[in-house]
């Protein structure tokens, strides 16, 4: 109980009165604990060499599957009209681009067709065609009207994109005003995962980073996605940052509203932190960062010039992925303020070594200082060695200076005061 109390013969502790017990090993002049072969077997001491490895950090988060905003289209009435026929007549209908959705009767559309058929000049005819096109009449329907030589009673509105009708606001016989929303259609070939990460994890997220997503509705299945956006603003109430992952969904198994788990992996650089963004050196659209290329060009969505990404994404240190010295998690004794490993100096000789470590990467820690490649560290039995070091008054996890003469640790001083204060 009080390892600073030591003597060369049996007796009792002057502080607590407990019987003194024999030390299980001997000490070397360097401060190492020395165990015989039999003591090593009893303690099940295991050692491994410190090696260089490629490490990655896994960040787990949760979120919900959502519609991809750029893949949502609205169909609105472009003039006042009466609904004559509803073709897509329930929410959830799957439609292809160009499919008929609804027939509308509008006196204004009939008048515009008559203007087209009676136009005195090609210029007036072109203006009439332009007006009808703006009202949703297709080029094929215009050709049919001109070929028939008479106006149509109704005009059919068609799906602007392929997808699923997620909102329907029309029934037969109703009147709609100009600008009234008729349908909302969503293309589910790509969906978004909207997740939140804590502010202190921001350095582990970068645009272009791969993500593995699992949803509760499809157990055992994993979906690959890419981080496409990191919110530039921190939520002050939750201290979290929004992250968006783009997920291909060609089979349609991912449904908006599903609860999802995501794992983001980051390669570690030489400083033990996030390596360079996956987009470093590539050309990216400033408005649509998921659009990127190997060479200069323009964005296929908005036409802006692509810009080259230098270094890493915002919030991530610019480091190249590297092979790092690493030790198993089981080798590390951690007080929260100090981290210690036991190094095998010679067979049977084990010394405490304070180390500086990077963030945990799976079952390994990157070593920033304190160890050299090839040194052998204890991965099983380190706690027993540390207990033995404390019994012998040697440097240990809790007492860096040990209890040797001239090097009494803080713990020893407090016990000494306890024993001599009477």
């Amino acid at each position: 109980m009080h390892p600073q109390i030591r003597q060369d013969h049996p007796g009792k502790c002057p502080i607590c009165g407990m019987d003194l017990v024999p030390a299980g090993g001997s000490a070397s002049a360097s401060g190492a604990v020395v165990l015989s072969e039999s003591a090593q077997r009893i303690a099940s001491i295991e050692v491994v060499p410190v090696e260089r490895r490629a490490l990655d950090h896994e960040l787990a988060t949760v979120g919900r599957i959502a519609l991809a905003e750029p893949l949502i289209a609205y169909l609105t009435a472009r003039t006042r009209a009466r609904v004559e026929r509803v073709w897509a007549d329930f929410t959830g209908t799957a439609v292809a681009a160009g499919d008929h959705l609804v027939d509308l009767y509008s006196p204004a559309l009939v008048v515009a067709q008559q203007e087209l058929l009676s136009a005195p000049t090609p210029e007036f005819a072109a203006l009439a065609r332009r007006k009808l096109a703006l009202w949703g009449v297709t080029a094929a329907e215009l050709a049919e009207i001109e070929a028939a030589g008479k106006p149509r009673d109704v005009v059919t509105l068609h799906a602007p994109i392929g997808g699923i009708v997620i909102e329907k606001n029309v029934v037969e016989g109703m009147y709609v005003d100009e600008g009234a929303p008729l349908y909302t259609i969503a293309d589910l070939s790509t969906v978004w995962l909207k997740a939140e990460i804590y502010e202190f994890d921001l350095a582990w997220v970068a645009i272009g980073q791969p993500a593995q997503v699992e949803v509760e509705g499809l157990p055992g299945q994993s979906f690959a996605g890419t981080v496409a956006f990191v919110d530039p603003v921190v939520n002050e109430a939750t201290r979290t940052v929004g992250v968006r992952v783009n997920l291909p969904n060609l089979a349609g198994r991912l449904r908006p509203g599903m609860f999802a788990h995501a794992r983001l992996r980051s390669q570690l650089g030489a400083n033990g932190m996030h390596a360079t963004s996956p987009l470093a050196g590539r050309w990216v659209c400033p408005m649509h960062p998921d659009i990127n290329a190997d060479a200069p060009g323009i964005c296929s969505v908005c036409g802006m010039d692509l810009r080259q990404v230098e270094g890493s994404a915002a919030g991530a240190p610019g480091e190249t992925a590297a092979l790092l010295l690493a030790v198993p998690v089981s080798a590390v004794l951690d007080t929260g303020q100090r981290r210690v490993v036991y190094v095998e100096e010679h067979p049977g000789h084990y010394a405490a070594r304070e180390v500086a470590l990077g963030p945990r990467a799976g079952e390994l820690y990157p070593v920033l200082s304190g160890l050299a490649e090839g040194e052998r560290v204890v991965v099983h039995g380190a706690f027993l060695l540390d207990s033995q070091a404390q019994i012998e008054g040697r440097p240990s996890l809790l007492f860096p200076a040990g209890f040797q003469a001239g090097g009494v640790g803080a713990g020893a001083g407090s016990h000494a005061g306890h024993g001599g204060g009477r």
Side-chain angles (χ1 to χ4, degrees):
M1 185 171 292
H2 301 96
Q4 75 273 21
I5 303 301
R6 304 181 307 280
Q7 61 187 34
D8 57 4
H9 58 275
K12 292 185 178 293
C13 175
I15 297 176
C16 64
M18 293 182 66
D19 290 334
L20 301 181
V21 297
S26 59
S28 68
S30 65
V33 174
V34 180
L35 297 183
S36 65
E37 290 187 9
S38 61
Q40 294 176 53
R41 287 193 297 270
I42 294 172
S44 300
I45 301 296
E46 295 180 17
V47 296
V48 298
V50 179
E51 299 176 338
R52 291 191 177 274
R53 302 169 182 259
L55 302 180
D56 55 40
H57 177 85
E58 182 177 282
L59 173 63
T61 184
V62 296
R64 292 186 183 274
I65 303 297
L67 298 171
E69 294 175 8
L71 301 182
I72 300 174
Y74 297 91
L75 184 67
T76 59
R78 302 185 185 184
T79 183
R80 180 173 172 77
R82 184 178 71 243
V83 178
E84 292 293 307
R85 179 70 183 271
V86 177
W87 299 102
D89 55 0
F90 65 91
T91 302
T93 302
V95 298
D99 281 356
H100 58 186
L101 298 181
V102 62
D103 289 345
L104 300 178
Y105 167 75
S106 171
L109 285 169
V110 174
V111 171
Q113 293 175 69
Q114 291 173 339
E115 292 175 353
L116 169 64
L117 297 174
S118 61
T121 66
E123 289 78 11
F124 278 98
L127 289 174
R129 290 192 195 93
R130 177 64 174 164
K131 180 190 294 185
L132 288 167
L134 291 174
W135 281 348
V137 180
T138 66
E141 289 172 330
L142 286 172
E144 291 176 5
I145 293 169
E146 291 184 289
K150 61 179 182 180
R152 298 174 58 176
D153 291 336
V154 298
V155 170
T156 302
L157 299 186
H158 302 268
I161 64 171
I164 304 296
V165 175
I166 61 172
E167 189 173 350
K168 167 184 165 289
N169 300 307
V170 292
V171 294
E172 291 185 7
M174 72 181 295
Y175 279 85
V176 294
D177 291 324
E178 180 180 355
L182 307 179
Y183 290 95
T184 303
I185 300 172
D187 180 356
L188 300 183
S189 61
T190 296
V191 293
W192 288 356
L193 169 64
K194 290 186 173 181
E196 299 286 329
I197 62 165
Y198 287 106
E199 181 180 5
F200 52 75
D201 284 326
L202 186 58
W204 297 111
V205 180
I207 294 175
Q209 182 177 0
Q212 289 295 320
V213 177
E214 297 177 357
V215 294
E216 293 193 349
L218 299 169
Q221 300 184 45
S222 181
F223 301 86
T226 304
V227 175
F229 180 75
V230 180
D231 200 323
V233 178
V234 175
N235 184 322
E236 295 188 9
T238 61
R239 307 312 303 172
T240 59
V241 178
V243 173
R244 189 219 322 151
V245 176
N246 285 9
L247 290 165
N249 187 35
L250 297 179
R253 290 176 293 173
L254 295 173
R255 302 167 185 262
M258 280 182 162
F259 187 73
H261 300 263
R263 298 190 308 274
L264 311 180
R265 287 190 176 274
S266 311
Q267 283 190 310
L268 272 61
N271 63 354
M273 294 299 292
H274 196 307
T276 302
S277 164
L279 295 182
R282 293 180 62 82
W283 296 78
V284 177
C285 174
M287 188 171 289
H288 301 95
D290 50 329
I291 304 298
N292 58 84
D294 294 326
I298 61 172
C299 176
S300 58
V301 176
C302 64
M304 293 181 66
D305 290 334
L306 302 182
R307 300 175 186 174
Q308 190 172 28
V309 177
E310 297 182 0
S312 60
E319 280 287 328
T320 303
L323 294 177
L324 298 174
L325 288 180
V327 293
V329 170
S330 60
V332 180
L333 306 181
D334 192 347
T335 67
Q337 295 182 332
R338 296 180 68 236
R339 288 172 169 177
V340 168
V341 299
Y342 274 82
V343 179
E344 184 184 59
E345 296 181 334
H346 306 288
H349 292 236
Y350 307 97
R353 182 87 59 83
E354 186 168 353
V355 292
L357 305 176
R360 179 169 174 168
E363 293 303 312
L364 297 169
Y365 278 114
V367 179
L368 304 183
S369 65
L371 291 172
E373 186 174 3
E375 288 190 298
R376 296 169 64 83
V377 296
V378 176
V379 295
H380 188 277
F383 276 109
L384 292 175
L385 290 174
D386 196 71
S387 298
Q388 183 64 37
Q390 292 187 41
I391 290 173
E392 296 174 358
R394 300 295 173 178
S396 59
L397 177 66
L398 297 177
F399 307 111
F403 299 122
Q404 300 300 313
V408 177
S414 62
H415 285 304
H418 173 73
R422 295 184 184 276

